[in-house]
């Protein structure tokens, strides 16, 4: 298999995405990592659980870094991202299924909100 060709294709795909598409891709990955953490916790695979939570936090910090905090929505999202990271640190330390499920729900709802906004933006063009 030509891995260089695959890597080039993936890079080109990312390079041609709109900002909204990239945002949704990051949120999809975040939801995937939180789901992976949940499954790992159920299997008592604590190494995978911790790695999945850590990757989720990295994604959230990346999202935070991309915010334009001169606007109130950016500042509000920064506070929400801080909250997510704080809660995920508690989830990781306590291996808390209930809090993990709550975080999955909140992140999923935020992703769905961004998806709806993207669809409204696309239809308004």
């Amino acid at each position: 298999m030509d891995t260089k060709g695959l890597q080039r294709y993936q890079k080109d795909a990312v390079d041609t995405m709109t900002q909204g598409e990239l945002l949704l891709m990051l949120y999809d990955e975040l939801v995937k990592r939180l789901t992976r953490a949940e499954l790992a916790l159920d299997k008592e695979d604590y190494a995978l659980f911790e790695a999945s939570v850590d990757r989720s936090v990295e994604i959230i910090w990346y999202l935070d870094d991309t915010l334009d905090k001169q606007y109130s929505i950016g500042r509000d999202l920064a506070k929400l991202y801080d909250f997510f990271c704080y809660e995920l640190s508690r989830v990781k330390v306590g291996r808390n299924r209930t809090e993990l499920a709550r975080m999955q729900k909140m992140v999923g709802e935020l992703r769905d909100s961004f998806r709806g906004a993207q669809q409204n933006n696309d239809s308004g063009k």
Side-chain angles (χ1 to χ4, degrees):
M1 178 194 235
D2 182 16
T3 58
K4 287 185 181 182
L6 176 61
Q7 290 171 344
R8 178 70 182 168
Y9 171 78
Q10 291 171 332
K11 183 183 180 325
D12 288 346
V14 169
D15 289 344
T16 59
M17 288 181 160
T18 66
Q19 288 181 340
E21 291 169 333
L22 287 170
L23 179 69
L24 290 175
M25 184 180 73
L26 284 167
Y27 270 100
D28 287 342
E29 184 66 20
L30 179 56
V31 168
K32 181 176 101 176
R33 295 296 176 144
L34 292 173
T35 301
R36 184 177 288 167
E38 178 186 35
L39 295 172
L41 191 57
D42 290 343
K43 293 180 181 179
E44 297 182 4
D45 184 347
Y46 299 122
L48 179 60
F49 166 74
E50 290 179 6
S52 299
V53 172
D54 288 343
R55 184 65 179 135
S56 297
V57 170
E58 290 173 7
I59 292 168
I60 293 168
W61 284 130
Y62 179 81
L63 289 167
D64 183 70
D65 287 343
T66 64
L67 293 174
D68 187 347
K69 295 175 185 157
Q70 76 177 8
Y71 299 104
S72 63
I73 186 70
R75 291 187 300 272
D76 291 343
L77 281 171
K79 291 175 189 174
L80 185 60
Y81 292 158
D82 285 343
F83 170 76
F84 285 167
C85 290
Y86 173 77
E87 288 298 309
L88 285 174
S89 69
R90 292 181 58 226
V91 164
K92 182 179 169 184
V93 170
R95 296 179 180 161
N96 189 323
R97 285 179 175 79
T98 304
E99 286 303 307
L100 179 58
R102 188 171 78 105
M103 292 304 303
Q104 284 177 292
K105 183 175 188 256
M106 292 172 68
V107 167
E109 288 172 355
L110 188 58
R111 177 196 56 185
D112 294 344
S113 295
F114 279 118
R115 179 168 284 126
Q118 178 69 27
Q119 289 171 344
N120 286 340
N121 185 46
D122 289 347
S123 67
K125 288 183 180 179

